[in-house]
Amino acid sequence: MLSLSPSLPLRRPLFLLCAAFLTACQAPAVNHDFDAGRDFAAYRSWAWKTPALRYQPDDPHLQSDLTEQRLREAVDEQLDQRGLRIAKADTTPGLDVQGFLIIDNRQQQVTTNYGGPFGPVWGRPWGGGGMIETRNLDYQVTTLQIDLYDHKDGKLVWRGSAEQPTQGDSATPEQRATAIRSTVAKILSQYPPH
């Protein structure tokens, strides 16, 4: 008879698998969409759309000039690396850029089984009773979205976004700047579309 009693060799791979899964869950989920009929090579310059950064919900607690400044610097750096220059005051840009910082409330149901039938797998010939508990977990997700519009017709030509569960607000200014730069780099990694 096969015995699956917990042992150290079995626990270690299980622990490593769980740790790898939890680490992967922390990376932001990045999405891209674009108008396949556009010639992205024709776009050479860009400018910020007014307002440059919109907040959803429109809550004064979320709005921050510091966050907007960090986002502007990160987008400027990434678009410059992709050959797009910020339009001078007396020229017409090819693209208008706008960012969105979106906070969504979400809920997830988690079911936990306590106990249950053990059976012969654990070396016992009998089963045992169990209890199932289902809980609702409320959490917030932060999404950073960057939209690029054709300046001539005002239509959306490219959109990129990254979302992840909202972290605590104990980050230093340097950590916030690094997080925004990293997220913007991931979002704009697929611009121009191939």
Side-chain angles (χ1 to χ4, degrees):
M1 176 183 284
L2 177 63
S3 175
L4 294 176
S5 62
S7 63
L8 187 56
L10 183 60
R11 287 183 191 167
R12 184 175 178 159
L14 184 61
F15 171 76
L16 293 175
L17 179 65
C18 289
F21 177 74
L22 291 174
T23 302
C25 290
Q26 296 303 315
V30 179
N31 296 300
H32 302 94
D33 195 10
F34 62 94
D35 181 349
R38 298 288 177 151
D39 177 14
F40 287 91
Y43 297 122
R44 300 280 183 212
S45 63
W46 65 279
W48 285 104
K49 190 171 178 157
T50 304
L53 180 61
R54 296 182 63 188
Y55 298 87
Q56 293 177 2
D58 189 17
D59 183 349
H61 293 102
L62 295 175
Q63 298 175 9
S64 165
D65 291 341
L66 298 172
T67 299
E68 185 171 338
Q69 176 186 344
R70 291 177 186 123
L71 177 72
R72 283 176 176 260
E73 290 170 358
V75 168
D76 187 15
E77 177 184 316
Q78 290 299 315
L79 291 179
D80 188 62
Q81 289 178 12
R82 285 156 180 76
L84 291 170
R85 305 294 180 249
I86 196 154
K88 302 208 185 289
D90 58 342
T91 62
T92 302
L95 292 170
D96 291 323
V97 178
Q98 189 168 44
F100 294 85
L101 185 63
I102 305 162
I103 308 271
D104 287 322
N105 293 317
R106 303 227 179 128
Q107 191 175 69
Q108 180 178 7
Q109 274 193 342
V110 177
T111 301
T112 306
N113 184 2
Y114 300 100
F118 299 103
V121 173
W122 290 94
R124 295 182 184 98
W126 65 89
M131 180 179 88
I132 296 175
E133 176 185 30
T134 300
R135 295 174 287 157
N136 291 322
L137 298 177
D138 296 315
Y139 63 101
Q140 289 185 322
V141 173
T142 301
T143 303
L144 178 59
Q145 177 178 304
I146 300 171
D147 289 349
L148 306 180
Y149 300 89
D150 185 290
H151 183 78
K152 290 179 186 173
D153 62 17
K155 297 201 185 238
L156 180 67
V157 296
W158 189 91
R159 170 175 284 166
S161 65
E163 76 172 32
Q164 68 182 22
T166 303
Q167 304 297 319
D169 199 24
S170 61
T172 65
E174 293 80 20
Q175 290 170 327
R176 288 183 180 127
T178 300
I180 289 174
R181 273 195 314 273
S182 172
T183 303
V184 168
K186 288 175 186 169
I187 292 170
L188 289 172
S189 67
Q190 295 299 311
Y191 183 87
H194 308 293

